Amino acid sequence: MSTEAYTPTPRTKLRLRPDRGHYDRELVHAIIDEALIAHVGAVVNGEPRVLPTAIVRIGEDVYIHGSQANGVLGALKDGAPATITVTLIDSIVAGRSGFGFSLDYRSVMIFSHGEAVTDPEEKRGLVQAFVNDLMPGHTVRPPKPKELAATLFLRFPIEEVSAKVRDVGVLDVEEDYGLDLWAGKIPVSLAFGAPEDCPRLAEGIATPDYAQNYARPPMKRST
Ligand SMILES: Cc1cc2nc3c(=O)[nH]c(=O)nc-3n(C[C@H](O)[C@H](O)[C@H](O)COP(=O)(O)OP(=O)(O)OC[C@H]3O[C@@H](n4cnc5c(N)ncnc54)[C@H](O)[C@@H]3O)c2cc1C
């Protein structure tokens, strides 16, 4: 049963800037849901690898997918521990020194083990979930059995997780505030342009509203 907050573990306890650490379930979910991508790290054949990849959250699990031939996914399927990070940049923070120069951000780090999804029906549902996550409302044809067979879907329970949030803007050392220098922050947001129709669009297809009015973060989810 879901509770308000995840339980910190020795691994997820923030040592540096513990005041910026959060374990609130809603906050963790919101950061994951807003992000377009995640980075999944694992040790593959003795070397660290980090894979930028699409991610979708369903309840208390996150999913990634890719080719059955993908090296990182293969190692994760075989039981390699995963560290998954999700990062949102909120501002570029221009302090009065190089060390006061920073970013405001919201990020999540998940420690987990992947489990391959093998049920074709569940895989079909996940294909739709990835589409919905990036573009709610978009309709696709059903996946073909060979496409499903060629794709590895991995599920990672969100159990050992932390969020970190920097939202303080300029934070200079006290003696720097009086310097004759500008300081401040530039808010950062993703901008989405007008949709460009595929040049091979079948005749009579209009650009749908969900593409014309694309926005992120997506609608708040109930789970
Ligand atoms: C966009 C961005 C830019 C950053 N730039 C820098 C930089 O230039 N230099 C720098 O030193 N640090 C930077 N950080 C912070 C960095 O991610 C680490 O939090 C910080 O370096 C401390 O690392 P640590 O391993 O010593 O943390 P510790 O406090 O020892 O980490 C312990 C645990 O805290 C949690 N944790 C730590 N960091 C994060 C995080 N970012 N998100 C979620 N959980 C976390 C994890 O569970 C981790 O296992 C940046 C973070 C972001 C999101």
Side-chain angles (χ1 to χ4, degrees):
M1 193 55 220
S2 101
T3 53
E4 294 281 299
Y6 294 101
T7 306
T9 67
R11 222 169 16 170
T12 62
K13 231 176 163 148
L14 276 88
R15 289 179 307 113
L16 297 181
R17 306 298 316 216
D19 53 312
R20 294 183 183 166
H22 301 271
Y23 303 91
D24 178 78
R25 200 172 291 268
E26 259 194 53
L27 175 70
V28 167
H29 289 182
I31 293 170
I32 297 170
D33 294 350
E34 184 171 336
L36 287 173
I37 62 155
H39 289 86
V40 180
V43 174
V44 183
N45 297 328
E47 291 187 346
R49 292 276 183 274
V50 179
L51 184 80
T53 185
I55 191 169
V56 67
R57 180 187 67 84
I58 301 175
E60 291 300 328
D61 297 305
V62 291
Y63 294 82
I64 63 174
H65 69 326
S67 162
Q68 295 276 10
N70 181 306
V72 175
L73 294 189
L76 293 167
K77 184 179 88 170
D78 293 341
T83 302
I84 303 172
T85 60
V86 176
T87 311
L88 303 170
I89 308 292
D90 291 324
S91 289
I92 297 170
V93 177
R96 295 169 181 81
S97 72
F99 296 104
F101 206 93
S102 192
L103 294 162
D104 276 349
Y105 58 78
R106 289 164 287 150
S107 61
V108 160
M109 196 180 292
I110 303 169
F111 299 100
S112 190
H113 280 86
E115 181 195 358
V117 176
T118 50
D119 175 42
E121 246 347 277
E122 193 177 353
K123 282 172 114 178
R124 246 184 276 280
L126 285 172
V127 172
Q128 195 58 53
F130 274 95
V131 171
N132 289 348
D133 192 67
L134 280 182
M135 191 167 284
H138 186 59
T139 305
V140 293
R141 67 155 171 78
K144 297 176 181 169
K146 70 170 183 204
E147 292 172 328
L148 285 179
T151 307
L152 178 58
F153 289 86
L154 292 173
R155 171 182 29 250
F156 296 87
I158 314 172
E159 285 164 357
E160 203 178 355
V161 63
S162 55
K164 190 169 179 180
V165 177
R166 187 194 194 279
D167 58 2
V168 292
V170 175
L171 192 62
D172 277 330
V173 289
E174 199 49 46
E175 59 269 30
D176 284 354
Y177 284 96
L179 292 174
D180 194 14
L181 295 167
W182 180 80
K185 67 177 185 181
I186 310 285
V188 173
S189 59
L190 272 181
F192 298 98
E196 296 176 12
D197 292 341
C198 170
R200 297 182 59 184
L201 208 57
E203 214 170 303
I205 307 254
T207 314
D209 283 351
Y210 65 77
Q212 306 228 39
N213 303 310
Y214 188 84
R216 216 167 175 87
M219 299 263 289
K220 200 166 162 26
R221 300 192 205 159
S222 55
T223 54

